[in-house]
Amino acid sequence: MNKISEEMIALGSTRSVIRELFEFGKVRAAQVGAENVFDFSIGNPSVPPPAIVTETALDLLQNSDPVALHGYTSAQGDASVRAAIAGDLTARFGMAYSADELYLTVGAAAALCCAFKALTCPGDEFVVLAPYFPEYKVFIESVGAKMTVVPAQPADFQIDFDALDRVIGPNTKGVVVNSPNNPSGVVYSPETCKKLADLLRAKSAQFGHTVWLISDEPYREIVYGNTQVSWLPSLYRDTLVCYSYSKSLSLPGERLGYVLVPSASPDAERLYAAVAGAGRALGYVCAPSLFQRIAAKCVGCTADLTVYAKNRALLLEAFAAYGYPCVAPEGAFYLFPRTLEEDDLAFCERAKEFDLLLVPGSGFGCPGHMRISYCVPTERILRSLPAFEKLAKRYH
Amino acid sequence: MNKISEEMIALGSTRSVIRELFEFGKVRAAQVGAENVFDFSIGNPSVPPPAIVTETALDLLQNSDPVALHGYTSAQGDASVRAAIAGDLTARFGMAYSADELYLTVGAAAALCCAFKALTCPGDEFVVLAPYFPEYKVFIESVGAKMTVVPAQPADFQIDFDALDRVIGPNTKGVVVNSPNNPSGVVYSPETCKKLADLLRAKSAQFGHTVWLISDEPYREIVYGNTQVSWLPSLYRDTLVCYSYSKSLSLPGERLGYVLVPSASPDAERLYAAVAGAGRALGYVCAPSLFQRIAAKCVGCTADLTVYAKNRALLLEAFAAYGYPCVAPEGAFYLFPRTLEEDDLAFCERAKEFDLLLVPGSGFGCPGHMRISYCVPTERILRSLPAFEKLAKRYH
């Protein structure tokens, strides 16, 4: 047996909980019919892209020079695409951005990897706030940094500032936030964002170096009611925004996103170069060219999110009735109720007896909870409600 | 000034020679007209994708479920896409491949990065053969391995086996080959490939561990006359094939490729897992989904390569007439003549006086040569010939 990277073997062989649920679901579907298996495990948008995406794709394919359309763009992305996105950000967030502050990436995962690799020096740590997207750990450790976790504040899933204050130390290179949040769905309040900015300024002063804010924002446009998502660069200068079109335009498989390196930061020029260097070192030649052009034509558009709003309302109402304690979150397409026993893994195993596929909170650094992805057909929600009710009756 | 990764800053700020030439070309185009600037520096396909690519794209966009079409595929790529590609490889190369041996990637650069990261343990080295694609060094060093170079054999750009024999040592994890080659255009002869396989077997036995062969094959289908490109996995069991559709389908910006991990290798199962783990660690969630589907429908197709054949013949004939010593290579879309003075950087500077933009061989580990990318309109070749002639007269 030859030596190859055991770390990579481990990363590639670990079957995720979600993958296990998927396999279980396939077996059950064969037994009881797919319509009777209630899979709430996958965060894949269930609504199509807005019509303008397909229309633009057809137009570009039919009416533009195919050599240019499918050719390499510059490594940071096509200049006119970056200008269109910068213009949209400028219009929406009241701060002037230029094309040169944007680095287009192969999705948000690539954006995060480039950001972490650009920032990391030996000994650096990044702080994440539970509940958090589990791949953060993979990305952070892959560039040689260490991940430190701030425990969740389950009453409202805003930030536990006492805990965050204790965790940020001299080796903290940055803090990663994700609002609207996967898995909780919670949007940080303006007050939370302001306190976060104040704390990071104080910590930067205390340690004599910038503590960066890495804002992972794939769900930025997926909010309910009149919710406003704070624009963090307006509150904290040294913010890197990592974005993806996966959720807003329902294009998760097409892999398009960006890193915004606001020029307000005194380190912006070097950091932008480092992000580009990281993209090169990680093998990202450029973001997919056709979808770069599509994104430029679809700035400010989103898929039709009304089905998510409907699903969310149905589930929140049902959970209140059946006795699942649940923060009513204002964004993304996840709910994160408390499980009805402390052991969330045992609870989610029990749920499978009712053909409910739910993801335990432990994987998100927040035991005692379960993630419910409601980016599913409303029909599935409606059919699943009796199962949720029966499951609750086991406990109450 | 905050500490961020100086390595990444350096990688992101280095302006490549090609980029410098591009900027020079823009300035000259404004002065003398774009048609009088002869840019031979860029390896971007100049022919459109075959019609089937656009037809398939239009059909998929108009007639398939957009949620599935643009959704995440599994990390290793859609199963039916992998099956289609495996079927094509099986039909063409006389060895049976299955979908499970293929891991789809975001282009060949990603394929190489995943392969290097999967294989690398501390202390490992990879051998590359000059002239070589300069990004190999970036990718190999980025995963913590060391790159060792075998000097070129300029008489024919086949392999200098004495030099290769000396360079492969106990720390050599693999040897990287690229045939048809960028920048020389040369295709390794069947005899070269057989000798390479024999040497790698002997070295593996000598050092008690497999010396892997990493075959970077984006130009596999771009060959002239009756040239056959040897299928290396049929000659050497422990071969990883890294492929891209950038050149064969003229889709460089769309970023689609694969790693083939042939199951014949006793380490195949672990290595496939490690490649998948590397993809995860590097932030590659899946290869772009629309173009995965397109590739499946276009297996075995290529762009119309006749213009390359024409350009190649024109240049080879002219170079023979003007006295540029040049191996007549059988693949890719590059020529790699000797420069008319030893110092290739000085020569290429001199060429700029004639508005000829040529890339010095030094960057490819092979001084005293120049790379000419002839994936350009034939018109540009024809208009450039007097400039090549005048340049030669300076020296003869």
Side-chain angles (χ1 to χ4, degrees), chain B residues 251-269:
Chain B
L251 294 171
E254 305 300 357
R255 315 307 307 138
L256 186 69
Y258 58 74
V259 185
L260 172 71
V261 186
S263 60
S265 170
D267 298 290
E269 198 174 328

Side-chain angles (χ1 to χ4, degrees), chain B residues 155-214:
Chain B
D156 57 6
F157 294 118
Q158 300 286 322
I159 297 174
D160 178 343
F161 280 102
D162 289 339
L164 179 58
D165 188 314
R166 281 193 302 273
V167 160
I168 298 177
N171 296 323
T172 303
K173 192 49 144 315
V175 174
V176 184
V177 295
N178 173 220
S179 163
N181 183 264
N182 176 8
S184 76
V186 162
V187 177
Y188 287 160
S189 68
E191 190 199 3
T192 294
C193 295
K194 195 182 164 305
K195 276 180 80 171
L196 176 64
D198 289 342
L199 179 66
L200 293 183
R201 270 188 288 271
K203 290 290 179 182
S204 297
Q206 178 185 346
F207 296 118
H209 63 78
T210 295
V211 178
W212 296 88
L213 180 58
I214 295 100

Side-chain angles (χ1 to χ4, degrees), chain A residues 87-111:
Chain A
D88 177 59
L89 296 177
T90 300
R92 286 163 69 195
F93 300 116
M95 299 178 78
Y97 295 107
S98 78
D100 294 341
E101 295 165 275
L102 286 164
Y103 179 85
L104 302 190
T105 62
V106 181

Side-chain angles (χ1 to χ4, degrees), chain B residues 52 57 59 78 141 229 234-235 250 261 330 337 349 362 394:
Chain B
I52 188 176
D59 178 50
D78 181 82
E141 292 182 351
V229 178
S234 71
L235 299 171
S250 281
V261 186
E330 291 157 331
E349 271 307 304
S362 294
R394 279 282 181 97

Side-chain angles (χ1 to χ4, degrees), chain A residues 217-379:
Chain A
E217 309 193 349
Y219 301 98
R220 191 201 293 144
E221 287 79 15
I222 304 189
V223 290
Y224 306 101
N226 296 316
T227 306
Q228 294 293 320
V229 178
S230 297
W231 180 242
L232 292 171
S234 71
L235 299 171
Y236 188 65
R237 187 190 64 187
D238 298 304
T239 299
L240 287 182
V241 176
C242 296
Y243 185 75
S244 162
Y245 291 92
S246 294
K247 320 295 178 180
S248 60
L249 291 180
S250 281
L251 294 172
E254 306 301 357
R255 316 306 307 138
L256 187 69
Y258 59 75
V259 184
L260 173 71
V261 185
S263 60
S265 170
D267 298 290
E269 198 175 328
R270 293 162 65 241
L271 187 52
Y272 187 93
V275 167
R280 193 176 158 195
L282 296 171
Y284 291 104
V285 173
C286 65
S289 48
L290 172 63
F291 281 90
Q292 285 191 39
R293 272 64 176 230
I294 293 172
K297 300 280 184 193
C298 300
V299 288
C301 304
T302 59
D304 179 359
L305 309 174
T306 52
V307 62
Y308 299 148
K310 188 170 173 189
N311 291 354
R312 172 180 171 277
L314 281 168
L315 281 172
L316 282 173
E317 189 186 3
F319 288 174
Y322 307 154
Y324 290 97
C326 185
V327 171
E330 291 157 333
F333 36 54
Y334 306 109
L335 296 180
F336 201 59
R338 279 200 3 234
T339 49
L340 300 184
E341 61 182 301
E342 211 171 316
D343 181 342
D344 52 309
L345 288 91
F347 179 85
C348 292
E349 271 307 303
R350 171 69 51 92
K352 284 158 76 177
E353 295 172 21
F354 299 87
D355 292 313
L356 288 166
L357 310 191
L358 315 174
V359 184
S362 294
F364 304 97
C366 192
H369 291 77
M370 52 179 156
R371 188 187 77 170
I372 290 160
S373 298
Y374 58 79
C375 46
V376 300
T378 303
E379 170 73 10

Side-chain angles (χ1 to χ4, degrees), chain B residues 42-394:
Chain B
I42 311 275
N44 208 349
S46 58
V47 298
I52 188 176
V53 163
T54 305
E55 287 158 18
T56 305
L58 294 172
D59 178 50
L60 288 167
L61 286 162
Q62 285 167 324
N63 301 313
S64 56
D65 168 21
V67 173
L69 183 63
H70 303 297
Y72 293 116
T73 68
S74 66
Q76 68 266 46
D78 181 82
S80 68
V81 172
R82 288 182 288 118
I85 298 170
D88 177 59
L89 295 177
T90 300
R92 287 163 68 196
F93 300 116
M95 299 177 78
Y97 294 107
S98 78
D100 295 341
E101 294 164 276
L102 285 164
Y103 179 85
L104 302 191
T105 61
V106 181
L112 288 164
C113 286
C114 289
F116 292 137
K117 196 166 175 83
L119 285 170
T120 298
C121 302
D124 280 350
E125 301 180 9
F126 290 91
V127 171
V128 306
L129 309 167
Y132 63 87
F133 180 52
E135 292 299 281
Y136 289 162
K137 188 170 154 70
V138 175
F139 301 157
I140 289 170
E141 292 182 351
S142 171
V143 302
K146 193 186 147 199
M147 185 176 92
T148 316
V149 180
V150 175
Q153 180 172 291
D156 57 6
F157 294 118
Q158 300 286 322
I159 297 174
D160 178 343
F161 280 102
D162 289 339
L164 179 58
D165 188 314
R166 281 193 302 273
V167 160
I168 298 177
N171 296 323
T172 303
K173 192 49 144 315
V175 174
V176 184
V177 295
N178 173 220
S179 163
N181 183 264
N182 176 8
S184 76
V186 162
V187 177
Y188 287 160
S189 68
E191 190 199 3
T192 294
C193 295
K194 195 182 164 305
K195 276 180 80 171
L196 176 64
D198 289 342
L199 179 66
L200 293 183
R201 270 188 288 271
K203 290 290 179 182
S204 297
Q206 178 185 346
F207 296 118
H209 63 78
T210 295
V211 178
W212 296 88
L213 180 58
I214 295 100
S215 181
D216 177 26
E217 309 192 350
Y219 300 98
R220 191 201 292 145
E221 287 78 16
I222 304 188
V223 291
Y224 305 101
N226 295 316
T227 306
Q228 294 292 318
V229 178
S230 297
W231 179 242
L232 293 170
S234 71
L235 299 171
Y236 188 65
R237 189 190 62 189
D238 298 304
T239 300
L240 288 182
V241 175
C242 296
Y243 186 75
S244 162
Y245 292 92
S246 293
K247 319 295 178 179
S248 59
L249 292 180
S250 281
L251 294 171
E254 305 300 357
R255 315 307 307 138
L256 186 69
Y258 58 74
V259 185
L260 172 71
V261 186
S263 60
S265 170
D267 298 290
E269 198 174 328
R270 292 162 64 241
L271 186 52
Y272 187 93
V275 167
R280 194 176 158 197
L282 296 171
Y284 291 103
V285 173
C286 64
S289 48
L290 172 63
F291 281 90
Q292 284 191 40
R293 273 62 177 230
I294 292 172
K297 300 280 184 193
C298 300
V299 288
C301 305
T302 59
D304 179 0
L305 309 175
T306 52
V307 63
Y308 299 148
K310 188 171 173 192
N311 291 355
R312 172 180 172 275
L314 281 168
L315 281 172
L316 281 173
E317 189 186 2
F319 288 174
Y322 307 153
Y324 290 97
C326 185
V327 170
E330 291 157 331
F333 37 54
Y334 305 108
L335 296 181
F336 201 60
R338 278 199 3 233
T339 47
L340 300 184
E341 60 181 302
E342 211 172 314
D343 181 343
D344 53 308
L345 287 90
F347 179 85
C348 292
E349 271 307 304
R350 172 68 53 92
K352 285 158 74 177
E353 295 172 20
F354 299 87
D355 292 314
L356 288 166
L357 310 191
L358 315 174
V359 185
S362 294
F364 304 98
C366 192
H369 292 77
M370 53 177 156
R371 188 186 78 169
I372 290 160
S373 298
Y374 57 79
C375 46
V376 300
T378 302
E379 170 72 9
R380 188 182 305 168
I381 308 264
L382 293 169
R383 291 181 66 91
S384 73
L385 295 182
F388 276 113
E389 188 170 18
K390 279 185 238 163
L391 174 60
K393 283 200 178 139
R394 279 282 181 97

